[in-house]
Amino acid sequence: MGEVENARAHLDAAIAALSYEEAWRLDPVTGEQCKMDGIEMCIAQDLDRVESQLLPRGLGPTVIGAVSESIRHAFVEIIAARNALGDDHG
């Protein structure tokens, strides 16, 4: 396995660790189930929901929120790095 392929494998593992393999949400307009993708699949979304349930509105950020933002930032950067390497067939 070459260096680029090795990097792709590690980035794919990081993406898998920070996101769900498959997730669905209800479309607020149609009520239909829609498959989530991209940043919606990141585990940071669940941390945001937990934080919003635990805190009254208007309070400042918490540790949960800070961790969520760090995870989201890392996820976006990992996806960008994976995209910069191109696909496996090129």
Side-chain angles (χ1 to χ4, degrees):
M1 182 181 290
E3 288 180 25
V4 172
E5 292 79 17
N6 192 28
R8 281 189 190 113
H10 286 291
L11 291 169
D12 289 344
I15 291 166
L18 294 174
S19 63
Y20 298 106
E21 187 174 321
E22 186 173 294
W24 298 82
R25 65 174 166 77
L26 289 178
D27 184 290
V29 175
T30 66
E32 294 180 30
Q33 281 193 337
C34 303
K35 188 172 182 181
M36 296 185 338
D37 61 357
I39 194 69
E40 289 182 309
M41 297 284 290
C42 182
I43 62 174
Q45 301 297 100
D46 282 340
L47 290 174
D48 291 342
R49 283 190 280 279
V50 167
E51 182 179 49
S52 71
Q53 294 295 315
L54 292 175
L55 292 175
R57 303 229 182 250
L59 290 181
T62 66
V63 170
I64 294 171
V67 169
S68 173
E69 188 56 35
S70 290
I71 289 171
R72 187 177 355 275
H73 184 110
F75 188 75
V76 168
E77 292 299 327
I78 291 166
I79 295 290
R82 180 64 175 87
N83 289 341
L85 290 175
D87 67 31
D88 295 289
H89 307 294

